[in-house]
Amino acid sequence: MARIKKKGTSGAAKNYITRTRAVKKLQISLPDFRRLCIFKGIYPREPRKKKKVTKGSTAATTFYYTKDIQYLLHEPLLAKFREHKAVSKKIARALGRGEAGDAARLEKNLVPKIKLDHIIKERYPTFVDALRDLDDALSMLFLFANLPSSEHVPAKTISLCQKLCHEFEHYVIVSHSLRKSFLSIKGIYYQATIQGQDILWLVPYRFVQRTGGDIDFRIMGTFIEFYTTLLGFVNYRLYTTIGLVYPPKFNAKMDEQGAELSAFQVEGKSVGTDNASTGNEEAPAVANPEAQAIADKLAALPETEEEETALAPVQPVDEDEANEEIDKFEVTAPGADELPQPQASNAEVASLFAPFTFYLSRETPRAPLEFLLKAFGCKRIGWDGAFGEGAFTTNESDPSITHQIVDRPSLSNGAETSEDADTAPKVQWPRSTMPGRTYVQPQWVWDCINQSKLLRPDLYAPGAELPPHLSPWVKPKKGEYDPNLSLQEQEAEGEAAAFEEEEDEEEERADLKVNGDGNNVDALLDRESSVEAGEGMDVDGSEDDEDDSDESDEGPAADEFDGFDSDAESDISEGEAARLQHQRELEAEATGKTLEPEVETTKSKNAAIRKKAEKKRKQEEEERARQKMMLSNKKRKLLKRIEYGANKRDTEAETLRRKRRKLEKAKSAANAI
């Protein structure tokens, strides 16, 4: 006879283990268990059938995979945690006896140092795996690099995060890996393509950070400890891949004076020559750029051609062919598929700002602008001396400056009119504009980078209304509102006419409200004559009601009702209008007078356009309803859900277009005044 299985010894009950049992099994404290799980990448799991795991209990419990906990039993960090616990007891005993010197000696000599090198190798077998997991690491490190030092966040941790972040930024600058950037409410998003992997991270704005008491900095510190080790390994591999010395030389004195990126000096590995690059200059030709070049080329190719090209040798590119203009695929027929347009080469984008010399005004954010301009080829960036060291020039009147980035209202060189010439004082340099220099707002840099070309600087002049700053990762779909297109290109047929009619009706209502105190007698008379049933004090069954009911049964009264608009009535009205026109022509011919053409008003044109659009839309709805009848019930429900989403999207797009139309109308009215 087969042995009967005991309940809770197999299946889901055996595959999961509670956190309490896991801590007892590992024989460590709960904080050490959390720290170990963060290092190893082990997270809580939710069973599919929780009652089978908890044996019918409904209490809130955290579960882990039993195999994950079994895997932690052989972790070398467990011995380090136990040693640290033993030393902590000795230090506490020494402090209790008042032996501060012994406690300091124990802390200096016996506290074990935890290294995470082997964990990095376990979690990321290949370098590509580490690059794929670099998004959260960079976002967390840049966040801590901008935090103020406090009891929970020591200054040593902040300086380490700043050092690693600046090293990574220098690699992005030298390798020209940066692709896109976006200004958002949370901060500044950056995207770099490194060895075929897209890395996206967030850098917060440099505001005064007030950290609350509801933040567990102990957990975040554990992540920082792991991420600093990871980014250190990644930076070393990236620098050595393109032939740079790691770590780069660090000038502590310049860093104390606010140099930031310029405090690091990047050098290439070469024998007998001094190939150095400071923060103001680009690194020279590196010793081994093939890996990055091949990876960038493979990343730019379609997925179907990657395998074939990876095996073939890289052919040299002809300079004449590389300098030719990029072809553009244009749509030949309406409604045809739009092909993806080819983008500019990496070399052209990398040298976008190379021929210019920039000067950053004091009100502009220096750190992101310096990083972006250097990443796209600019070698000469100046700023005010109050910003810190490392500037190409601190003289705002330097004639070599071609572009100045300002973020303040426009300032004229003098009085605008002759009447104010005597009273208004002239604005003197350096607050006035320099001839031959281009003044732009900071958004110009971001938009040029996202569109991979230099945009018109007059659209970003100081004090000008800036164009919309859109996310480069969100592409508008068909039917959605696109701020880059005009209203005529994206609005539906008859939408503009309906909007103008609504505007006219709103103006009429506003006039009635203004003149509602007795000045507009016709409006009041119309209101009194249009009393509906139920508004007055008529008694049910009176003689007036009977007369009205008798008249409503007759034909002429029924014809006067114009509540429903049908196709037949529209055809009759058009035929009646043609007949009246023909009669007027005959009368004019008989009397010998010339018939003056009727002037079609804008209101009548809009009404005709709207009526035509409604008729077309009604026909399309009827045709769609007939097609739905041929579908099964399951497909009809699926189509209903699809139509709900499409209608919601169309409603949102129409609302945005209405808002834009109102703004444009108000702007045109203000300009006319």
Side-chain angles (χ1 to χ4, degrees):
M1 184 177 178
R3 183 178 299 177
I4 300 175
K5 287 186 178 181
K6 191 177 180 181
K7 186 177 181 182
T9 57
S10 63
K14 189 178 180 180
N15 293 336
Y16 293 92
I17 185 174
T18 62
R19 188 180 64 182
T20 305
R21 290 178 56 195
V23 170
K24 289 182 179 179
K25 192 170 186 178
L26 296 174
Q27 296 181 1
I28 56 176
S29 62
L30 182 59
D32 289 341
F33 175 75
R34 289 173 177 168
R35 191 179 179 192
L36 183 61
C37 289
I38 291 173
F39 289 155
K40 300 291 287 186
I42 295 174
Y43 302 97
R45 308 291 179 174
E46 185 69 19
R48 292 184 178 180
K49 299 179 180 180
K50 200 170 183 179
K51 286 188 176 180
K52 289 187 176 181
V53 179
T54 59
K55 300 178 181 179
S57 176
T58 57
T61 312
T62 305
F63 292 95
Y64 292 86
Y65 281 145
T66 305
K67 289 185 177 181
D68 291 341
I69 305 302
Q70 195 75 19
Y71 174 67
L72 291 179
L73 288 172
H74 309 283
E75 175 57 41
L77 287 180
L78 285 175
K80 295 289 184 180
F81 289 158
R82 290 161 184 159
E83 290 178 13
H84 190 279
K85 185 177 181 180
V87 174
S88 299
K89 289 182 179 180
K90 294 180 181 180
I91 293 174
R93 190 181 301 113
L95 291 176
R97 295 173 181 174
E99 300 172 354
D102 293 343
R105 179 181 54 81
L106 290 172
E107 185 177 3
K108 181 179 180 180
N109 299 329
L110 297 183
V111 172
K113 295 181 180 180
I114 297 177
K115 292 185 179 181
L116 306 178
D117 303 355
H118 65 286
I119 296 182
I120 300 296
K121 295 179 181 179
E122 289 176 5
R123 293 186 61 175
Y124 307 107
T126 62
F127 185 62
V128 175
D129 296 332
L131 291 177
R132 289 172 181 169
D133 201 24
L134 207 59
D135 298 355
D136 295 336
L138 287 174
S139 299
M140 181 74 80
L141 291 176
F142 273 99
L143 171 63
F144 269 72
N146 293 320
L147 286 179
S149 60
S150 61
E151 179 184 357
H152 306 287
V153 185
K156 187 177 180 180
T157 302
I158 296 174
S159 62
L160 178 59
C161 294
Q162 292 175 351
K163 178 177 176 293
L164 292 172
C165 292
H166 288 324
E167 290 174 358
F168 180 77
E169 286 180 342
H170 269 293
Y171 169 80
V172 173
I173 291 172
V174 173
S175 61
H176 302 293
S177 303
L178 194 63
R179 294 293 178 264
K180 299 175 183 177
S181 181
F182 176 62
L183 297 166
S184 69
I185 299 177
K186 297 180 180 179
I188 305 175
Y189 285 93
Y190 298 97
Q191 183 184 10
T193 303
I194 300 176
Q195 298 188 10
Q197 302 299 322
D198 292 335
I199 301 172
L200 180 67
W201 72 95
L202 175 66
V203 179
Y205 296 113
R206 294 196 173 182
F207 297 142
V208 178
Q209 303 287 346
R210 293 183 176 86
T211 56
D214 57 343
I215 302 175
D216 193 348
F217 283 99
R218 185 171 56 181
I219 298 295
M220 297 181 70
T222 305
F223 277 102
I224 288 296
E225 187 177 357
F226 175 76
Y227 286 151
T228 50
T229 308
L230 171 63
L231 188 57
F233 274 98
V234 171
N235 286 345
Y236 169 76
R237 179 66 179 270
L238 292 177
Y239 272 67
T240 54
T241 300
I242 62 175
L244 296 177
V245 177
Y246 186 83
K249 289 185 178 180
F250 175 68
N251 193 334
K253 186 176 180 181
M254 291 184 64
D255 185 66
E256 291 176 359
Q257 296 175 355
E260 297 186 0
L261 273 176
S262 302
F264 293 84
Q265 186 176 1
V266 182
E267 296 181 348
K269 292 181 179 179
S270 58
V271 181
T273 58
D274 185 12
N275 292 336
S277 170
T278 61
N280 297 329
E281 298 179 358
E282 186 183 355
V286 294
N288 184 21
E290 289 83 3
Q292 179 68 27
I294 295 175
D296 291 341
K297 188 169 183 179
L298 291 176
L301 293 177
E303 296 181 357
T304 56
E305 301 179 1
E306 281 188 2
E307 298 179 358
E308 300 177 1
T309 314
L311 300 176
V314 180
Q315 300 293 335
V317 182
D318 190 2
E319 295 182 359
D320 298 335
E321 296 179 358
N323 294 331
E324 294 180 357
E325 295 183 357
I326 300 176
D327 297 333
K328 294 184 178 179
F329 303 127
E330 298 181 356
V331 181
T332 56
D337 296 336
E338 296 183 3
L339 298 176
Q341 300 295 337
Q343 299 179 355
S345 63
N346 293 335
E348 295 178 0
V349 178
S351 59
L352 191 63
F353 302 125
F356 306 134
T357 301
F358 285 86
Y359 186 85
L360 309 180
S361 298
R362 288 182 297 175
E363 69 277 1
T364 58
R366 173 204 152 187
L369 287 174
E370 181 187 5
F371 173 56
L372 289 173
L373 293 175
K374 288 182 177 180
F376 285 88
C378 184
K379 302 178 183 178
R380 301 173 300 276
I381 305 174
W383 54 75
D384 192 88
F387 267 163
E389 295 292 330
F392 171 75
T393 179
T394 57
N395 184 13
E396 192 174 355
S397 58
D398 192 339
S400 63
I401 299 173
T402 60
H403 290 70
Q404 183 169 347
I405 302 177
V406 297
D407 196 10
R408 61 179 68 179
S410 59
L411 298 174
S412 60
N413 287 322
E416 296 181 358
T417 61
S418 59
E419 298 177 358
D420 301 334
D422 299 332
T423 58
K426 292 185 178 181
V427 181
Q428 301 295 333
W429 179 256
R431 290 175 293 172
S432 60
T433 58
M434 278 284 287
R437 184 180 298 182
T438 303
Y439 289 82
V440 291
Q441 298 189 43
Q443 185 181 330
W444 179 77
V445 178
W446 272 270
D447 290 350
C448 289
I449 290 171
N450 293 334
Q451 299 188 25
S452 302
K453 63 180 180 179
L454 295 175
L455 302 177
R456 290 172 49 189
D458 58 316
L459 299 177
Y460 299 85
E465 185 177 354
L466 296 173
H469 180 60
L470 306 176
S471 173
W473 300 284
V474 178
K475 301 299 180 183
K477 300 178 182 179
K478 187 177 181 180
E480 293 183 353
Y481 173 72
D482 188 1
N484 292 325
L485 300 178
S486 61
L487 290 173
Q488 291 77 13
E489 295 177 358
Q490 53 183 328
E491 65 184 0
E493 184 180 358
E495 183 178 340
F499 175 78
E500 292 182 2
E501 285 190 0
E502 291 179 2
E503 289 289 324
D504 296 338
E505 292 178 359
E506 290 180 1
E507 291 178 359
E508 292 178 0
R509 293 196 203 100
D511 294 340
L512 290 176
K513 289 181 180 179
V514 171
N515 301 326
D517 53 353
N519 297 330
N520 195 341
V521 182
D522 296 336
L524 295 175
L525 291 176
D526 292 339
R527 185 182 183 280
E528 291 175 1
S529 61
S530 62
V531 177
E532 297 179 357
E535 289 187 355
M537 300 298 294
D538 298 333
V539 182
D540 188 13
S542 60
E543 296 178 358
D544 296 337
D545 294 341
E546 293 176 0
D547 296 338
D548 294 338
S549 62
D550 294 336
E551 292 178 0
S552 63
D553 295 335
E554 298 176 0
D559 293 337
E560 292 177 0
F561 178 75
D562 196 19
F564 301 97
D565 187 11
S566 61
D567 297 339
E569 291 177 356
S570 63
D571 295 339
I572 293 173
S573 61
E574 292 176 0
E576 184 67 18
R579 187 185 65 78
L580 294 176
Q581 179 68 14
H582 182 64
Q583 183 177 355
R584 283 195 296 269
E585 291 176 357
L586 293 177
E587 292 177 356
E589 185 179 357
T591 56
K593 298 180 181 180
T594 58
L595 181 64
E596 297 180 357
E598 292 185 355
V599 179
E600 189 176 8
T601 61
T602 306
K603 191 173 183 179
S604 60
K605 289 181 180 179
N606 293 336
I609 294 173
R610 183 180 58 81
K611 201 170 186 179
K612 183 178 179 182
E614 289 179 356
K615 184 178 180 181
K616 183 178 179 181
R617 185 166 57 252
K618 187 176 181 181
Q619 291 177 354
E620 292 177 354
E621 290 178 356
E622 291 177 353
E623 179 65 23
R624 194 172 184 84
R626 285 193 293 268
Q627 293 177 356
K628 285 183 183 179
M629 295 175 63
M630 305 300 295
L631 299 176
S632 62
N633 190 21
K634 183 178 180 180
K635 293 183 178 180
R636 194 181 296 114
K637 290 181 180 180
L638 179 61
L639 182 61
K640 187 177 180 180
R641 290 196 295 269
I642 296 173
E643 288 179 345
Y644 173 78
N647 293 335
K648 186 178 180 181
R649 180 196 61 198
D650 295 341
T651 304
E652 293 176 354
E654 184 178 356
T655 303
L656 293 174
R657 288 196 295 268
R658 287 176 180 271
K659 290 182 179 180
R660 180 176 175 181
R661 195 176 285 108
K662 288 182 180 180
L663 291 174
E664 291 182 354
K665 188 175 181 181
K667 188 186 297 183
S668 60
N671 295 333
I673 295 175

